[in-house]
Amino acid sequence: MAVTGLCILGATGSVGCSTLDVVARHPDRFRVVALTAQRQVERLLAQCRQFDPMVAVVGDATAARWLQQELAAGGIKTAVLHGPDGLTQAAALPEVSTVMAAIVGGAGLMPTLSAVRAGKTVLLANKESLVMGGSLFMDEVRRYGARLIPIDSEHNAIFQCLPQDSSVGLDPDGVRRVLLTASGGPFRQLAAEALAHVTPEAACAHPNWVMGRKISVDSATLMNKGLEVIEAHWLFGLPAERIEVVVHPQSVVHSLVEYVDGSVLAQLGHPDMRTPIAHALGWPERIDIGLPMLDLIQIGQLTFEAPDQGRFPALRLAYEALTAGGGAPVVLNAANEIAVAAFLDDRLPFPGIAALIERALQVLGSTPAACWDAVIELDDRTRAACAVWLGNGT
Ligand code: NAD
Ligand code: MG
């Protein structure tokens, strides 16, 4: 068996740590070549001690010096790089064949693109990069012969339910529509008036999944599902009207594909990211990760309901941005990142997140973004505009 050389972008995060957990169970299959982190340098040091990568990347030069000294003191020869250039280099190393793209937010765009441009197999957790890049991103995937395997549990489920030979990015034969399941988040049953008073802690306490703080808030607003609708559009080549969202509070059915003959295929499993990660890492083979069996009798009931777009307008905004096209998804994503950071920082109430995004879309949503420079410029412009609106409380 050939050993897979891995780069894990965002190794210290929730997806990064789950990836290393899977990798540690299969030391004969995977060689960790590069690990990256922004701020959690101590955790990265522990990971370097365990996996002995060729390269580690951190956010800045000070952290890089500290890490290099600690590693040298322990006799570990990992080379330490830093900053955006370090990330770009790590993702394109010749020793790497597979890159786990698990940085959170727009910061993941350039490193993920670097992996695509180096023709790697890209395990895509960083949905924001695909939302921002859209057709530009998919064009690069095709141009450089990269392979995209979705890590997001819903898209990984859909990938598993599609014909094995269907290539990512093309409307697969015989598919009528895909159904993305959503847990509904921690506020699924909360009255609209109460949403104005929810805290960041409550928003981050997801009922089923343990995740980073940004995606936890996205799950609470349903923007996560909105970003996932856009992600599904690009990954599977389906128009918005053939991508449906179904709230499924148990998070056992991870998504479904409906075919024209009426067959509906679903993928089920525990709400544990190690399953889609193991699927993508092992693909096209299956690897054991020691999870307990799914006990359907104990689960008892699987329920489904429509999303409430009145209390959770973010989902509607995402559909509108997808349909509008051009720079609208870039604006949606950037405004969301600024709004979520402000909410986590107690500077914006929960309903203010969708309100800020809506305002950004009204002001900037019709800006075109037909090349990468335009995408980056619009992303910057949206973040700056949102910061001003937040700053002067208008
Ligand atoms: P997290 O916050 O737990 O971890 C983020 C990682 O990115 C960390 O390693 C951090 O060091 C790194 N990072 C943050 N800012 C950075 C920057 N400016 N430059 C370089 N690195 C930076 O996030 P997460 O929950 O693991 O999510 C990661 C990505 O995976 C997100 O795009 C998220 O939407 C997606 N995702 C996560 C889950 C999940 O269960 N956590 C599920 C599906 C998809
Ligand atoms: Mg998901």
Side-chain angles (χ1 to χ4, degrees), residues 29 38 45 54 65 72 81 121 244 246 251 311:
R29 258 191 120 99
Q38 182 70 358
L45 172 62
M54 268 176 60
R65 264 194 305 277
L81 309 175
T121 295
E244 184 123 349
V246 182
S251 298
R311 278 181 308 144

Side-chain angles (χ1 to χ4, degrees), residues 10-16 36-39 87 102-105 107 125-128 152-153 209-213 215 273:
T12 52
S14 165
V15 171
T36 88
Q38 182 70 358
R39 273 184 289 272
L87 293 170
I103 291 174
V104 61
N126 178 231
K127 63 193 92 185
E128 295 92 341
D152 220 340
S153 56
W209 299 93
V210 181
M211 308 182 286
R213 284 166 75 77
I215 184 176
M273 285 305 290

Side-chain angles (χ1 to χ4, degrees), residues 3 20 38 45 55 58 86 90 98 102 115 131 138 149 153 224 231 243 253 264 295 303 342 345 349 384 392:
V3 175
L20 286 171
Q38 182 70 358
L45 172 62
V55 171
V58 291
T98 299
V131 169
M138 294 308 290
I149 304 186
S153 56
N224 183 48
E231 183 185 13
I243 305 169
V253 177
V264 180
D295 188 343
T303 60
D345 223 13
N392 60 24

Side-chain angles (χ1 to χ4, degrees), residues 292-316:
M293 283 188 256
L294 186 69
D295 188 343
L296 284 175
I297 293 171
Q298 206 214 332
I299 293 165
Q301 279 198 317
L302 300 177
T303 60
F304 303 92
E305 61 196 49
D308 181 345
Q309 302 205 20
R311 278 181 308 144
F312 302 106
L315 183 59
R316 167 180 59 82

Side-chain angles (χ1 to χ4, degrees), residues 232-254:
H233 166 75
W234 293 115
L235 282 177
F236 307 118
L238 296 168
E241 58 276 13
R242 286 165 62 200
I243 305 169
E244 184 123 349
V245 172
V246 182
V247 173
H248 165 48
Q250 296 82 15
S251 298
V252 169
V253 177
H254 295 307

Side-chain angles (χ1 to χ4, degrees), residues 99-123:
V99 175
M100 168 59 79
I103 291 174
V104 61
L109 174 62
M110 284 307 164
T112 306
L113 257 190
S114 168
V116 166
R117 289 172 174 161
K120 309 295 189 195
T121 295
V122 179
L123 314 187

